[in-house]
């Protein structure tokens, strides 16, 4: 177990260090966002390879790694397109570039190394699943449920991102807030989908523990829970919703939208907005809606 974790740690250290070197050459620290998905996939696959398991001895780990690869490919494509289309560094990183002392040292530690640690934590479902003594015994119904939750979350996230991308393209240069489609029911439907997908992978990872609950298998299931808990906290409390919505603290249009729309869990919109006022047109100075940062 310890040697496997050490191999994963060393691999991710090399990965984010290479990313840091490239970002320094290109002067684009937002490259870290592009590396997020592939890094989590790399940590998962590395743990599988280091464990020595085969498809027959640990089928669920192969399944989790495969689903993680699909998630990583989609999000890398989504963020990568934005990275390549914009020749300028994302405003968050550009602001740090001008305000941080010892920028490159702090950038390596606080952006790339920290993100590497988070990659490993988010990959915990796959990593922990390699620790089962017998990965061939599991509750099939649980796997089916977990797979369903994952695909629901992934499709929900993809549709929300597609709606936002099309909206931004159609309204470029105009001041509007997206309040239709999935964005009518949640201010961050893409984040909701992402968190849901990771809870789905965790459900798959605990299937052996549910089939044969022992101190060892339950401990592994709890270890795997680090994955969805980490991504949930990041999105709900750290770099997701709070950071994005802070940009709109003084935006009357967004505040009206905020009053009537659930922040995370999709729900029917409320009626806090003044009758007759469409949040999409209430403020001529409104900015485009928050972007999906990861």
């Amino acid at each position: 177990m310890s040697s496997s974790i050490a191999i994963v740690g060393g691999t991710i250290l090399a990965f984010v260090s290479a990313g840091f070197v490239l970002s320094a050459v290109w002067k684009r620290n937002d490259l870290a966002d592009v590396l997020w998905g592939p890094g989590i996939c790399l940590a998962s696959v590395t743990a599988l390879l280091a464990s020595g398991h085969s498809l027959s001895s640990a089928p669920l780990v192969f399944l989790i790694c495969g689903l993680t690869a699909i998630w990583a490919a989609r999000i890398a494509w989504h963020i990568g397109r934005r990275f390549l289309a914009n020749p300028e560094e994302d405003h968050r990183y550009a602001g740090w570039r001008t305000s941080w002392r010892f920028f490159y040292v702090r950038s390596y530690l606080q952006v790339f190394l920290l993100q590497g640690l988070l990659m490993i934590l988010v990959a915990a479902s796959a990593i922990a699943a390699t620790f089962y003594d017998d990965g061939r015994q599991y509750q099939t119904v649980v796997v089916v449920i977990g797979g369903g939750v994952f695909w629901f979350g992934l499709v929900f996230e993809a549709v929300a991102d597609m709606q936002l991308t099309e909206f931004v393209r159609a309204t470029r240069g105009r001041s509007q807030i997206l309040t239709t489609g999935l964005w009518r029911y949640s201010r961050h439907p893409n984040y909701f989908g992402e968190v849901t997908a990771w809870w789905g992978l965790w459900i798959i990872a605990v299937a052996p523990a549910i089939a044969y609950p022992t101190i060892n298998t339950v401990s592994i299931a709890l270890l795997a829970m680090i994955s969805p808990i980490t991504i949930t906290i990041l999105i709900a409390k750290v770099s997701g919703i709070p950071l994005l919505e802070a940009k709109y603290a003084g935006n009357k249009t967004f505040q009206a939208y905020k009053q009537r729309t659930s922040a995370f869990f999709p729900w029917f919109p409320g009626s806090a907005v003044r009758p007759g006022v469409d949040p999409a047109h209430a403020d001529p100075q409104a900015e485009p809606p928050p972007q999906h940062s990861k």
Side-chain angles (χ1 to χ4, degrees), residues 87-133:
E88 297 181 358
E89 189 175 44
D90 181 273
H91 68 92
R92 294 166 298 155
Y93 297 100
W96 293 339
R97 187 176 293 276
T98 58
S99 63
W100 282 357
R101 295 184 60 188
F102 309 107
F103 172 76
Y104 287 105
V105 173
R106 188 169 177 181
S107 174
Y108 181 59
L109 296 176
Q110 190 167 329
V111 176
F112 288 89
L113 282 189
L114 175 59
Q115 180 158 279
L117 173 61
L118 293 174
M119 288 173 180
I120 295 173
L121 294 179
V122 174
S125 288
I127 296 173
T130 66
F131 300 152
Y132 287 115
D133 292 331

Side-chain angles (χ1 to χ4, degrees), residues 43-75:
S44 302
V45 173
T46 300
L48 172 58
L49 295 177
S51 70
H53 280 300
S54 64
L55 180 59
S56 61
S57 66
L60 294 188
V61 185
F62 279 82
L63 175 60
I64 293 171
C65 286
L67 295 178
T68 300
I70 293 172
W71 169 85
R74 192 210 72 85
I75 199 168

Side-chain angles (χ1 to χ4, degrees), residues 16 43 51 54 56 60 78 86 106 114 135 176 179 186 231 237 242 268:
V16 297
S51 70
S54 64
S56 61
L60 294 188
H78 176 69
N86 190 351
R106 188 169 177 181
L114 175 59
Q176 294 187 1
T179 61
S186 170
I231 199 71
K237 300 296 183 181
F268 296 101

